[in-house]
Amino acid sequence: MRKSVSILRAASWWENKYDDASPTTASQFPPEWERPILHAILEIGGTLVRGADILGAEPMRSAYLTLRLDTPEKAEHIYNLLSTDGEIFMKMEKTFFANRFAMLRDRFGTSWMLLNEN
């Protein structure tokens, strides 16, 4: 399944790019799935992000994960990681409601909103 490979690659990518990312995966899968991720938990900057492969699921295009980041530097760092080989909808910048805000889709097809309010 293409989606399961994408989640596995995304988890591996995060583990290599962010110091405290640690993917956890389940080990029991239906026999027809080839290397799927039933459940994945990534800890990114002290925040748990959970993902799963769903048989027959379509990619999400209208749902975004939002990361609230404590500092502008962390926001810029995560923005640079996620936007590489991805699609930027709104570049990281100061807005009337945030010190830093961005909207993008990463290389794995996940849509993100990044927010630093201070």
Side-chain angles (χ1 to χ4, degrees):
M1 308 220 74
R2 189 180 91 98
K3 189 139 178 94
S4 62
V5 172
S6 178
I7 289 176
L8 181 59
R9 284 191 341 224
S12 297
W13 182 84
W14 269 108
E15 185 175 34
N16 291 325
K17 296 290 183 187
Y18 204 82
D19 292 338
D20 65 353
S22 57
T24 306
T25 60
S27 61
Q28 295 181 345
F29 307 104
E32 67 273 11
W33 287 17
E34 184 180 324
R35 298 186 67 204
I37 302 301
L38 186 58
H39 296 282
I41 302 170
L42 298 170
E43 184 172 333
I44 303 169
T47 300
L48 292 180
V49 178
R50 298 173 184 260
D53 282 334
I54 308 298
L55 190 59
E58 294 296 319
M60 292 190 313
R61 297 293 183 212
S62 63
Y64 285 73
L65 294 174
T66 299
L67 280 180
R68 290 181 61 213
L69 299 143
D70 295 336
T71 67
E73 295 79 18
K74 283 184 184 178
E76 295 284 348
H77 177 70
I78 297 299
Y79 174 76
N80 289 328
L81 289 175
L82 291 175
S83 63
T84 300
D85 298 326
E87 183 179 359
I88 297 170
F89 303 123
M90 183 176 174
K91 68 180 183 173
M92 177 69 70
E93 60 188 2
K94 186 173 183 77
T95 67
F96 71 92
F97 60 87
N99 188 37
R100 296 285 189 284
F101 180 77
M103 294 175 65
L104 59 99
R105 184 170 297 129
D106 69 21
R107 70 178 75 193
F108 305 105
T110 302
S111 298
W112 296 89
M113 286 191 284
L114 305 176
L115 176 66
N116 168 248
E117 295 175 298
N118 301 329

